[in-house]
Amino acid sequence: MAIQLLVTDRNLVPSGDPLAGWTKLAVDLNFNQPASGSVTLPATSAVEQLLQPGGRLVVIRDGEIWCAGPFEEPQQFSWDLEADAGTGTVTAKFSDDLARVAGYLTYPEPSKTFATQTATANLKRQLTSVNAGAAIRTLVNENCGPGALAVRRIEHLVLGGATTAGSTISIGTRFEPLLDACRTAAATDGLGFRTRQVGNQIQFEVYQPQDLTDTVRFSKGLGNLRRVAFTMSAPTGTSELVQGGNDPADQPAEGQPANERAYVEVVSGHAADWYRVERLVEMTGTVAPAELTQAGTRELGDDNPQASLETLTVDTEDLKAGRDYWLGDKASVVLPTGLEVVDLVQTIRLEATPNEGELVTSVIGSSDRSTTTATVRTVRDLARRLGRLEAR
C-alpha cells in the first residue's frame, strides 16, 4: 500500500508536507455524484493549521490521484480522558471537486450577472439539438467553467476532451441545481461525468460507461463477492404523466395568447409485469415534447425499479476497480442461488489504515434505492420537485 495525503489551497498549491500519522482513511467515489471521504489524524497544532476552510485534500494512491477535492468539515475534534493519552484526534471530511460544481445553479442567461438577468418569467437557457455529452459540457462551462463569468469560475477548472457521447437532445433549464440539469441530460444514454485533478488543472469529463457484463463478474465462487442483498419490489411509477407549459395562474399579457399547457406520457415496460402506477411530473416552463420526454425518462429511473440489488465486492488480482471497470459500468453479480443479476457500479470505496493496509470494495446496484429508506427518498423527491417550481 502506498497512500499519500496532501493538503492544497484552492489554487492546487500544496500547503505543506504530506499529512503524517493518519490512522484511518475512507473514500467513496460515486457515480454522477460528489465523493464522500474522511481521514482521522492526531490533533497536533501542525495538523490543525493545515485543516482549514477553503483547503482541499488530495488522496494519492500508488502514485496516482485517487480523489481530490474540498474540505466539507475541515475539523471534527475529539478528546477523551480515558481513551486518549495525547492531545486527541481530529477528523476531516472532504469531497471531490464535483462538489464545487454541485454548488452552482443554471442561469437562464449565463453571460449576465444574477442582478441583470432579463425580467421575463420562465426565460430559460435552451440547448437545442445537441448531443447529450456536449450539453453537459456546455452547462458546466457556462456556469462555473472557463466560459463562465469571472466571479463564478471555479479555479483551474477546465473541460476535458470534446465528446460525441449520447443521443441528440434538447434541454431547457432555469435556476436549477447544475448537477440536476447534468443528470437530466445524462439519463437517456446513461452517461457519466466526473472531475479529476490532472497536474495543476481540475478536468471536468463526460464519458460513456461500458457494458462489461461478460468480463466483470462477481460471485462467491470467484472470491470477489462479500455481501449481497436482492429485493424484488413493485414499481412506484410506470406511467410518468409530464405536464408542461405556462403556469395557469399567470395571466397572459394583453394581446398575447392564452396560457398553454402540454402533456406527455412516458411509459415503462414494467406495467405489463406488475400494474399501472401513474405519477405526475411538473415541468412548467416548456412545451417541447423532447424536454418533457426527458423529464419523464429521468423520473422512471427513480420511480420504476423492478428489482434492487445491493452488493459489496472486493478487489482481487484478476479484477480491480479503476483498472478493469469504473463508475457507471454494467457488471454481473451471480447470487448464491444461481440467479444472475446485471446492474451498474454505483460506488467505489477505498478504506485504509497504516496497520491493516487497504481494502477496495464496490457497490453494484442502486444503493440509492436499496439502502435509503422510503421516507428519505420521498423527502428528497419532494425537494427536487419543489425546486423546479421555485425556479420558474
Side-chain angles (χ1 to χ4, degrees):
M1 176 186 69
I3 292 180
Q4 193 176 55
L5 305 179
L6 190 64
V7 176
T8 78
D9 63 16
R10 65 180 60 207
N11 289 308
L12 316 190
V13 177
S15 301
D17 295 330
L19 293 174
W22 58 274
T23 57
K24 185 178 180 180
L25 172 71
V27 185
D28 284 351
L29 304 180
N30 301 309
F31 181 52
N32 290 355
Q33 300 275 5
S36 175
S38 66
V39 59
T40 300
L41 306 107
T44 66
S45 59
V47 166
E48 291 183 325
Q49 287 175 9
L50 289 175
L51 305 181
Q52 295 296 322
R56 299 168 67 254
L57 187 69
V58 181
V59 179
I60 302 171
R61 178 176 180 242
D62 295 331
E64 296 184 357
I65 295 178
W66 180 258
C67 179
F71 288 125
E72 294 190 325
E73 294 179 11
Q75 295 186 28
Q76 276 188 358
F77 175 77
S78 175
W79 180 83
D80 187 294
L81 178 61
E82 295 182 0
D84 295 316
T87 58
T89 62
V90 61
T91 297
K93 295 186 176 181
F94 59 95
S95 185
D96 60 8
D97 290 304
L98 196 60
R100 295 283 309 273
V101 179
Y104 286 76
L105 302 178
T106 57
Y107 279 17
E109 298 173 292
S111 62
K112 295 183 179 181
T113 65
F114 178 75
T116 59
Q117 297 287 307
T118 299
T120 301
N122 293 330
L123 178 67
K124 297 190 302 179
R125 175 65 174 109
Q126 192 73 43
L127 299 174
T128 304
S129 298
V130 297
N131 71 68
I136 295 170
R137 293 175 83 255
T138 297
L139 290 172
V140 170
N141 181 47
E142 293 179 341
N143 287 283
C144 63
L149 295 172
V151 69
R152 302 187 74 206
R153 292 175 196 156
I154 295 176
E155 299 86 351
H156 302 279
L157 180 66
V158 300
L159 300 179
T163 178
T164 58
S167 53
T168 300
I169 65 169
S170 295
I171 183 171
T173 181
R174 170 186 170 83
F175 296 126
E176 180 182 7
L178 178 53
L179 284 194
D180 281 358
C182 291
R183 281 189 284 267
T184 297
T188 301
D189 302 290
L191 297 183
F193 50 83
R194 62 185 178 184
T195 56
R196 292 194 306 146
Q197 180 177 333
V198 180
N200 64 348
Q201 294 181 330
I202 300 169
Q203 292 189 2
F204 178 86
E205 301 172 335
V206 180
Y207 65 97
Q208 178 70 70
Q210 303 177 74
D211 185 342
L212 301 176
T213 50
D214 291 336
T215 57
V216 178
R217 301 173 62 81
F218 299 91
S219 71
K220 179 181 178 182
L222 292 173
N224 56 12
L225 186 61
R226 284 287 185 90
R227 185 176 70 241
V228 61
F230 176 70
T231 303
M232 185 174 291
S233 59
T236 58
T238 63
S239 293
E240 303 292 346
L241 308 180
V242 189
Q243 177 178 254
N246 300 320
D247 191 334
D250 293 338
Q251 297 299 317
E254 185 175 352
Q256 297 297 313
N259 285 320
E260 178 182 11
R261 300 297 275 169
Y263 304 94
V264 167
E265 181 177 0
V266 181
V267 181
S268 79
H270 293 296
D273 297 325
W274 294 88
Y275 35 73
R276 182 181 177 91
V277 182
E278 299 178 343
R279 295 287 297 269
L280 181 64
V281 181
E282 177 60 54
M283 283 295 291
T284 296
T286 182
V287 295
E291 291 184 40
L292 300 180
T293 300
Q294 279 175 209
T297 300
R298 186 177 78 169
E299 295 302 320
L300 280 179
D302 290 334
D303 294 341
N304 198 28
Q306 186 181 13
S308 297
L309 174 69
E310 181 194 358
T311 68
L312 182 63
T313 72
V314 62
D315 267 6
T316 65
E317 287 302 318
D318 295 328
L319 193 60
K320 290 182 180 291
R323 185 191 70 185
D324 301 308
Y325 64 92
W326 190 245
L327 296 168
D329 289 340
K330 281 186 179 180
S332 297
V333 178
V334 181
L335 308 185
T337 60
L339 177 66
E340 184 170 323
V341 183
V342 172
D343 217 320
L344 304 183
V345 179
Q346 294 286 352
T347 298
I348 297 175
R349 181 176 180 86
L350 168 66
E351 295 179 284
T353 64
N355 295 331
E356 299 178 5
E358 67 177 37
L359 175 67
V360 177
T361 57
S362 299
V363 174
I364 298 172
S366 183
S367 60
D368 199 32
R369 285 195 289 268
S370 56
T371 64
T372 307
T373 66
T375 301
V376 171
R377 291 201 307 271
T378 300
V379 170
R380 186 198 58 198
D381 179 67
L382 177 61
R384 187 178 69 226
R385 294 176 193 231
L386 286 175
R388 287 200 203 111
L389 298 178
E390 291 171 355
R392 288 191 323 224

